[in-house]
């Protein structure tokens, strides 16, 4: 028997009991004839006390050695009420070394001295630390809650293939050579998109899957080349059905996992999001929506701004110490088409364009924004798209620099009516904003022939605190519309048949109206726990360069293996 109890369960009620524990040595405190050891396992930490002859044996032990001890539970004289076992300790009568350990390359503790790279190389050691272990427990709880909730609501969990044919879905695919089919390749699935739609054609009413997906993109703190989706699809639904149900789902997850009650999720059109915040994933926790000023500029006749396609501004309300830091912040902004106005507490007005803006004009701006003493105004001007984009970046810089993001608040919203297609100048053809199977809005279908750029789609993104957590759409269930979309994407009839022939064929057998959504599981947990790096919630993540530092993947293949796969070497 390796243990009678784990290292996190013994308390005062166990005093006097003979026990056996097994675990790793967390700390050693040497007092000559007396040794204190902290022994750790998955469940917690227990303090051991070693006397006399056992001390000699302990001299050969080090941190992370795996030991088994027998002893009696006694009351601890110096109690630690921060841990469940802090009122007791084990008076050890026998100690057995199960496995020695090298000195770990970083401190295995809640606050470690190991940087991210070294911790990824020794990820199995990093998992021993409570922060990473607890994150994996949270991930487990979230996936369990997801499975239970969706299953109770009539969703069927179905696994779909990982090795599929290459199809253009927006991102680059990982390609896998076939050994048995010479010169042919699989692709790793970027998502289960086509298969979940085929399940709806197959008569499955509601589907879900917690699924691994693969995209050959640059990794970031919020993106990995392999990631996990909560993937869902429903038959006989429209946009409002999907949004209502999955708002209910997200509210349930926040309540169960974090005991947080969310308000109703507002809907904002894509065009309004760009117009108000300069981005399709706005963080609305700190206000500062854009105010368009072109009409005002014409009215007050500011010549050097009248010629600009767009003039837009934001107001920053007075915050503590904001004026003490503002000069340092302004030096960080590298934007020529930009100016600001300070409205000081003594009602003095200062502008970055004192030579071009009179005091009278500055007062007009202050009145127009209904600014109060202590407020700041920021302005951007130029071409419409670039101006909104630049002011959107400045808005976020302001929020970050002055700590305006309230981390205890979660502001979810739906972005709807996203464009169906966008023109790609480099390839001189359209590409899908979401994917080629997204349905256009009925009132825009007439634009398919002559003005595809103006078509809005039946798609929706869930944004929480400026982070895209989920994305989905109602799917095309009309064969002619689907073929027309493929045509706009520049696919020939031959390409459509070779890549999507099986899918188009399925349209001839009574395809139901259907739609769905996929949530990024890694991002959702990261957001719930208010972290900034999804790697902390993945057991074995890749680096920002897409490399597994622990197993040194990707790696070169031997010539014999390349030959077996019919690849050049």
């Amino acid at each position: 028997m390796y243990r009678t109890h784990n290292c996190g369960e013994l308390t005062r009620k166990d005093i006097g009991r003979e026990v056996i524990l097994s675990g790793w040595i967390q700390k050693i405190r040497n007092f000559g004839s007396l040794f204190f050891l902290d022994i750790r396992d998955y469940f917690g930490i227990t303090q051991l006390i070693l006397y006399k002859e056992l001390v000699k044996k302990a001299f050969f032990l080090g941190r992370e050695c795996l030991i088994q001890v027998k002893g009696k539970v006694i009351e601890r004289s110096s109690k630690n009420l921060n841990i469940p076992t802090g009122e007791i300790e084990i008076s050890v009568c026998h100690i057995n070394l199960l496995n020695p350990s090298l000195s770990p390359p970083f401190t295995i503790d809640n606050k470690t001295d190991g940087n991210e790279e070294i911790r990824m190389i020794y990820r199995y050691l990093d998992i021993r630390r409570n922060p990473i272990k607890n994150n994996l427990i949270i991930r487990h709880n979230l996936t369990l809650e997801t499975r239970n909730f969706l299953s109770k609501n009539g969703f069927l969990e179905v696994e779909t293939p990982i090795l599929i044919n290459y199809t253009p879905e927006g991102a680059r695919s990982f390609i896998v050579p076939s050994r048995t089919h010479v010169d042919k390749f699989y692709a790793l699935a970027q998502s289960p998109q086509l298969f979940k739609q085929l399940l709806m054609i197959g008569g499955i009413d509601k589907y879900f899957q917690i699924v691994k997906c693969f995209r050959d993109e640059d990794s970031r703190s919020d993106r990995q080349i392999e990631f996990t989706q909560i993937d869902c699809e429903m038959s006989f639904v429209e946009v409002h059905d999907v949004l209502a149900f999955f708002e209910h789902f997200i509210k349930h997850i926040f309540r169960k996992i974090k005991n947080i009650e969310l308000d109703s999720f507002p809907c904002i059109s894509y065009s309004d999001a760009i117009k108000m915040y300069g981005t399709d994933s706005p963080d609305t926790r700190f206000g500062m929506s854009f105010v368009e000023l072109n009409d005002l500029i014409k009215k007050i006749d500011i010549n050097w701004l009248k010629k600009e396609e767009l003039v837009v501004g934001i107001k920053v309300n007075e915050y503590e110490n904001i004026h003490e830091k503002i000069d340092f912040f302004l030096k960080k902004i590298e934007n020529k088409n930009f100016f600001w106005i300070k409205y000081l507490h003594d009602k003095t007005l200062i502008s970055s364009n004192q030579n071009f803006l009179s005091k009278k004009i500055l007062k007009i701006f202050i009145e127009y924004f209904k600014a109060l003493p202590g407020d700041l105004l920021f302005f951007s001007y130029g071409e419409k798209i670039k101006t909104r984009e630049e002011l959107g970046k400045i808005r976020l810089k302001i929020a970050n620099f002055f700590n305006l993001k309230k981390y205890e608040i979660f502001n979810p919203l739906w972005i709807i009516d996203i464009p169906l297609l966008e023109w790609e100048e480099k390839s001189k053809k359209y590409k899908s904003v979401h994917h080629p199977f997204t349905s256009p809005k009925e009132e825009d279908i007439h634009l398919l022939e002559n003005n595809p750029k103006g078509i809005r789609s039946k798609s929706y993104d869930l944004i929480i605190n400026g982070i895209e957590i989920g994305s989905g759409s109602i799917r095309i269930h009309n064969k002619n519309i689907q073929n027309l979309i493929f045509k706009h994407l520049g696919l020939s009839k031959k390409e459509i048949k070779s890549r999507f022939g099986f899918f188009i064929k399925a349209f001839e057998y009574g395809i139901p109206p259907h739609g769905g959504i996929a949530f990024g599981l890694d991002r959702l947990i990261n957001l719930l726990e208010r972290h900034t790096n999804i790697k902390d919630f993945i057991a074995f993540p890749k680096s920002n360069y897409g490399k597994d530092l622990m197993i040194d993947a990707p790696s070169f293949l031997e010539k014999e293996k390349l030959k077996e796969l019919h690849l050049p070497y």
Side-chain angles (χ1 to χ4, degrees):
M1 184 184 293
Y2 283 110
R3 61 187 182 188
T4 57
H5 299 78
N6 66 56
C7 295
E9 68 176 303
L10 296 170
T11 61
R12 287 182 63 89
K13 64 180 175 53
D14 299 297
I15 290 174
R17 180 174 289 182
E18 299 286 340
V19 297
I20 303 172
L21 301 180
S22 291
W24 291 269
I25 295 174
Q26 171 97 3
K27 289 180 181 176
I28 302 174
R29 295 180 294 285
N30 181 354
F31 293 97
S33 61
L34 191 67
F35 259 45
F36 287 98
L37 303 182
D38 287 344
I39 185 175
R40 179 194 70 242
D41 65 6
Y42 173 84
F43 302 96
I45 292 177
T46 298
Q47 181 169 285
L48 312 177
I49 183 167
L50 283 68
Y51 300 97
K52 298 178 181 177
E53 66 275 2
L54 287 178
V55 168
K56 294 179 182 178
K57 197 167 187 179
F59 271 113
F60 299 98
L61 299 175
R63 285 185 300 129
E64 298 309 310
C65 285
L66 187 65
I67 60 172
Q68 179 195 48
V69 297
K70 293 181 182 179
K72 181 185 282 189
V73 181
I74 61 174
E75 186 172 0
R76 185 167 165 173
S77 57
S78 178
K79 295 179 175 56
N80 179 2
L81 300 181
N82 294 319
I83 59 174
T85 61
E87 293 186 271
I88 60 95
E89 59 191 4
I90 310 301
S91 177
V92 177
C93 64
H94 178 76
I95 185 167
N96 180 31
L97 177 63
L98 297 178
N99 247 321
S101 172
L102 296 174
S103 179
F106 54 87
T107 305
I108 310 234
D109 212 335
N110 290 355
K111 291 185 178 180
T112 182
D113 54 2
N115 61 34
E116 183 177 90
E117 182 175 342
I118 195 72
R119 288 187 294 110
M120 288 183 71
I121 292 171
Y122 296 93
R123 186 62 167 181
Y124 46 89
L125 296 180
D126 203 25
I127 291 171
R128 292 182 187 177
R129 297 193 309 115
N130 279 333
I132 303 299
K133 179 197 74 177
N134 291 338
N135 286 348
L136 296 181
I137 294 171
I138 292 165
R139 187 185 180 101
H140 163 78
N141 292 336
L142 176 54
T143 54
L144 184 62
E145 197 59 51
T146 296
R147 279 196 166 93
N148 290 339
F149 181 88
L150 294 174
S151 299
K152 287 175 183 176
N153 281 277
F155 284 75
L156 183 70
E157 185 170 13
V158 182
E159 291 182 350
T160 54
I162 295 297
L163 290 172
I164 63 170
N165 258 348
Y166 168 77
T167 56
E169 290 191 52
R172 287 183 295 271
S173 294
F174 284 99
I175 304 301
V176 181
S178 171
R179 177 183 58 82
T180 54
H181 303 279
V182 181
D183 294 334
K184 292 188 176 181
F185 299 84
Y186 299 100
L188 296 182
Q190 292 188 29
S191 77
Q193 185 60 48
L194 290 179
F195 293 99
K196 66 178 180 178
Q197 290 190 242
L198 290 167
L199 286 170
M200 299 301 103
I201 299 171
I204 301 299
D205 192 65
K206 296 173 186 172
Y207 140 95
F208 86 96
Q209 185 180 184
I210 298 175
V211 59
K212 274 280 189 182
C213 301
F214 306 86
R215 292 180 188 173
D216 188 5
E217 298 178 313
D218 296 332
S219 294
R220 298 192 304 240
S221 61
D222 66 343
R223 185 170 69 190
Q224 289 268 294
I225 58 175
E226 58 174 310
F227 57 96
T228 305
Q229 284 185 179
I230 303 170
D231 199 63
C232 308
E233 198 78 5
M234 308 162 78
S235 285
F236 304 106
V237 290
E238 263 299 351
V239 171
H240 60 86
D241 302 306
V242 179
L243 299 195
F245 178 80
F246 286 103
E247 177 175 327
H248 177 45
F249 165 68
I250 291 294
K251 284 180 175 178
H252 173 83
I253 291 298
F254 270 76
R255 187 183 308 116
K256 282 286 186 178
I257 303 299
K258 298 299 290 183
N259 196 28
I260 292 172
E261 294 290 340
L262 295 176
D263 293 331
S264 295
F265 300 5
C267 285
I268 301 178
S269 71
Y270 173 89
S271 60
D272 281 346
I274 298 295
K275 190 175 179 180
M276 294 166 64
Y277 301 105
T279 176
D280 59 357
S281 53
D283 188 340
T284 58
R285 286 174 294 174
F286 45 88
M288 291 196 286
S289 58
F290 294 0
V291 177
E292 293 192 11
L293 299 164
N294 287 63
D295 290 340
L296 179 67
I297 297 300
K298 289 175 184 175
K299 185 178 176 181
I300 59 180
D301 201 25
I302 305 178
N303 288 326
W304 62 281
L305 285 176
K306 275 199 301 186
K307 62 182 180 180
E308 300 297 343
E309 191 175 356
L310 177 68
V311 182
V312 65
I314 55 175
K315 179 177 73 172
V316 183
N317 293 328
E318 180 189 6
Y319 290 95
E320 187 179 356
N321 298 325
I322 196 167
H323 285 278
E324 295 175 15
K325 302 176 183 177
I326 192 64
D327 292 328
F328 181 74
F329 170 75
L330 291 171
K331 291 176 184 176
K332 289 177 165 285
I333 298 178
E334 297 175 0
N335 187 338
K336 292 178 181 177
N337 294 1
F338 166 79
F339 65 96
W340 48 262
I341 298 172
K342 294 181 189 178
Y343 189 20
L344 303 181
H345 288 96
D346 62 3
K347 297 191 177 180
T348 302
L349 292 170
I350 301 173
S351 171
S352 57
N353 270 6
Q354 295 285 130
N355 297 331
F356 296 95
L357 296 172
S358 66
K359 285 187 178 180
K360 181 182 176 182
I361 289 174
L362 293 180
K363 283 182 180 179
I364 292 172
F365 279 129
I366 291 297
E367 289 170 5
Y368 194 80
F369 277 87
K370 297 179 181 178
L372 299 172
D375 291 350
L376 301 167
L377 303 181
F378 291 86
F379 303 85
S380 186
Y381 56 89
E383 181 198 72
K384 278 186 178 180
I385 294 174
K386 188 175 181 181
T387 296
R388 287 198 174 100
E389 187 179 296
E390 288 300 318
L391 190 59
K393 291 176 182 177
I394 291 170
R395 178 179 175 270
L396 287 178
K397 285 179 180 178
I398 292 168
N400 289 328
F401 189 82
F402 296 110
N403 297 317
L404 305 186
K405 294 179 178 179
K406 299 173 183 175
Y407 288 94
E408 72 279 5
I409 291 177
F410 292 94
N411 271 20
L413 57 93
W414 293 107
I415 301 294
I416 58 172
D417 296 349
I418 299 163
L420 184 72
L421 301 167
E422 63 181 354
W423 182 253
E424 200 172 49
E425 191 60 39
K426 188 177 180 180
S427 60
K428 299 294 181 185
K429 62 182 181 182
Y430 286 101
K431 70 173 185 176
S432 298
V433 173
H434 266 191
H435 53 64
F437 320 107
T438 301
S439 175
K441 297 193 76 166
E442 279 83 0
E443 55 266 43
D444 291 351
I445 287 177
H446 68 281
L447 300 171
L448 267 174
E449 289 288 354
N450 301 315
N451 185 24
K453 194 175 180 180
I455 301 172
R456 295 166 298 167
S457 66
K458 288 185 174 182
S459 57
Y460 31 81
D461 291 344
L462 177 62
I463 310 298
I464 305 180
N465 296 357
I467 300 166
E468 183 188 311
I469 295 300
S471 183
S473 67
I474 300 301
R475 322 304 185 186
I476 297 168
H477 61 276
N478 179 293
K479 181 180 177 181
N480 293 330
I481 292 175
Q482 185 64 77
N483 278 324
L484 199 50
I485 295 297
F486 284 149
K487 178 184 172 184
H488 280 307
L489 296 175
L491 297 175
S492 66
K493 287 184 179 180
K494 184 179 179 181
E495 286 174 316
I496 294 170
K497 187 174 181 180
S498 66
R499 294 181 182 180
F500 302 107
F502 69 97
F503 186 61
I504 295 298
K505 185 70 176 175
F507 274 61
E508 299 174 0
Y509 293 94
I511 177 171
H514 61 287
I517 192 167
F519 298 96
L521 177 64
D522 314 302
R523 282 188 184 180
L524 180 56
I525 301 172
N526 197 48
L527 175 78
L528 276 165
E529 294 301 308
R530 300 177 177 92
H531 280 231
T532 57
N533 195 334
I534 62 171
K535 296 188 196 80
D536 292 339
F537 297 90
I538 300 171
F540 300 100
K542 303 287 188 293
S543 73
N544 285 354
Y545 302 99
K547 189 167 183 178
D548 189 319
L549 299 175
M550 183 180 66
I551 64 173
D552 196 26
S555 59
F556 293 105
L557 286 179
E558 296 173 354
K559 287 184 179 180
E560 284 303 311
K561 191 63 182 176
L562 292 171
K563 185 177 179 181
E564 183 183 333
L565 294 170
H566 315 288
L567 294 174
Y569 56 89

